[in-house]
C-alpha cells in the first residue's frame, strides 16, 4: 500500500481491503508476479449446549464455543449467529 509495492492489473492498491478475482486479476508485489492461494471454505454446524457463549473468546472467563471445538477443527473459525448463554441449539 505504501510505496506502490502491490499492483493489481498494473494499478497501485491504496486500500487495506481490496477484493480480487484470482483467475482474472494480475497481482504483483515489488515487481514480482504473485499467484494467490486457493481458499477452501469449510462450514461446520454446531449444536451449542446451554452454558456456553456464542463467541470465540470472553474477557470474563466464561465458557465459549471455542472451548467446545478446541483441538477438533484445524481451520481458523469465524462464528456466525448468536444464541443467549442459556439457550441451546
Amino acid at each position: 500500500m505504501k510505496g506502490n509495492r502491490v499492483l493489481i492489473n498494473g494499478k497501485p492498491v491504496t486500500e487495506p481491503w481490496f477484493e480480487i478475482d484470482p483467475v482474472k486479476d494480475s497481482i504483483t508485489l515489488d515487481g514480482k508476479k504473485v499467484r494467490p492461494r486457493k481458499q477452501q471454505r469449510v462450514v461446520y454446524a454446531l449444536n451449542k449446549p446451554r452454558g456456553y457463549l456464542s463467541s470465540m473468546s470472553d474477557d470474563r472467563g466464561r465458557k465459549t464455543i471455542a472451548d467446545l471445538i478446541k483441538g477438533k477443527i484445524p481451520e481458523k473459525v469465524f462464528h456466525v449467529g448468536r444464541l443467549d448463554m442459556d439457550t441451546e441449539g
Side-chain angles (χ1 to χ4, degrees), residues 63-83:
K63 295 184 285 186
T64 68
I65 57 173
D67 297 317
L68 295 170
I69 63 172
K70 186 176 183 177
K72 298 176 183 165
I73 298 176
E75 297 87 8
K76 182 169 176 75
V77 174
F78 299 93
H79 71 284
V80 177
R82 280 191 87 73
L83 291 174

Side-chain angles (χ1 to χ4, degrees), residues 1 3 6 12 17 38 41 45 53 59 63-64 67 70 84 89:
M1 297 189 320
V6 177
W17 177 262
K38 288 185 178 181
R41 293 189 179 160
L53 287 176
D59 59 356
K63 295 184 285 186
T64 68
D67 297 317
K70 186 176 183 177
D84 293 337

Side-chain angles (χ1 to χ4, degrees), residues 6-7 11-12 16 26 37 40-41 46 48-51 54 59 62 69 72-75:
V6 177
L7 301 177
K11 297 178 184 171
S26 170
R37 291 180 283 183
Q40 180 179 0
R41 293 189 179 160
L46 173 70
K48 183 192 84 63
R50 254 184 213 133
S54 293
D59 59 356
R62 296 174 291 185
I69 63 172
K72 298 176 183 165
I73 298 176
E75 297 87 8

Side-chain angles (χ1 to χ4, degrees), residues 18-55:
F18 189 88
E19 191 167 345
I20 62 165
D21 181 331
V23 175
K24 295 180 182 178
D25 291 328
S26 170
I27 306 154
T28 58
L29 172 63
D30 295 333
K32 296 179 183 174
K33 188 163 176 81
V34 176
R35 292 179 18 174
R37 291 180 283 183
K38 288 185 178 181
Q39 290 184 342
Q40 180 179 0
R41 293 189 179 160
V42 179
V43 177
Y44 293 95
L46 173 70
N47 187 6
K48 183 192 84 63
R50 254 184 213 133
Y52 285 83
L53 287 176
S54 293
S55 179

